[in-house]
Amino acid sequence: MKADRVDDAFRILDRAEALAGQADMLVRRDFSLLLMSAQRHEDAAKFSAKTQEIDAETSLILYRQALGKFAQAGKLEDAEDLFAKMRIMQIEPDGQIFEGLINVCAEAGQLEDAEIWLGRMQESGFTPQTEAYNHVIKAAQRSGNRNQVLSL
């Protein structure tokens, strides 16, 4: 009788894990659809609201994806708003989040902002990798500041 209860408990646990996995897949699918249209501020707000429903690590992944979409669109202001909302929700950024923001600056041709985000990355205790510096160089190129590219 006791063995049956233990077996039932394991079956329930297995089923719960399977359901959680399915729910996670659905959340990721929904976020992927949302990210496709993350070029407007209202969509970013919806994105922020959705991230409250999932764990911090998954949220970071989704924030990185959203920053990538904002980079493609050159939407620096929206990316910075998203970062601010992330901080309000007490989600700690990682180095890749900062790198994503620097990339948005690069795509928008905003050298000064790229340098500011690089500094914030370092102030937050992250060591910029080559990719972060490449984004700053790209920002300098796109801003038309050739002298600054040479000094980097």
Side-chain angles (χ1 to χ4, degrees):
M1 183 94 131
K2 207 175 209 181
D4 289 337
R5 287 184 185 167
V6 171
D7 288 341
D8 287 344
F10 278 113
R11 276 194 292 280
I12 291 169
L13 181 61
D14 288 342
R15 182 70 180 137
E17 287 176 353
L19 290 173
Q22 289 173 355
D24 185 54
M25 284 182 4
L26 291 174
V27 168
R28 287 175 192 266
R29 186 205 64 201
D30 290 347
F31 276 114
S32 293
L33 294 172
L34 181 61
L35 289 172
M36 286 183 201
S37 62
Q39 295 180 3
R40 293 191 327 266
H41 181 69
E42 302 82 43
D43 291 336
K46 289 178 197 173
F47 173 83
S48 281
K50 282 279 197 182
T51 57
Q52 293 178 358
E53 301 170 11
I54 57 177
D55 64 86
E57 178 144 348
T58 303
S59 290
L60 277 176
I61 292 167
L62 296 170
Y63 276 108
R64 288 181 204 128
Q65 291 175 345
L67 288 172
K69 293 294 181 184
F70 285 131
Q72 289 173 354
K75 301 281 188 172
L76 178 57
E77 189 175 315
D78 289 340
E80 289 176 334
D81 286 346
L82 189 64
F83 181 82
K85 287 178 180 145
M86 183 179 133
R87 299 298 293 147
I88 288 168
M89 293 174 10
Q90 299 179 345
I91 296 173
E92 291 296 320
D94 61 6
Q96 290 179 332
I97 292 292
F98 285 103
E99 188 176 297
L101 284 158
I102 297 167
N103 185 33
V104 176
C105 296
E107 294 299 328
Q110 299 295 321
L111 175 60
E112 190 173 309
D113 291 311
E115 291 174 328
I116 289 169
W117 282 108
L118 184 69
R120 288 183 183 172
M121 179 182 197
Q122 292 168 323
E123 289 167 6
S124 297
F126 299 103
T127 303
Q129 302 300 309
T130 304
E131 195 68 24
Y133 290 109
N134 287 342
H135 292 317
V136 175
I137 291 168
K138 185 194 296 183
Q141 290 171 328
R142 291 201 173 181
S143 71
N145 194 337
R146 296 179 113 168
N147 294 331
Q148 189 69 18
V149 173
L150 295 174
S151 70
L152 293 172

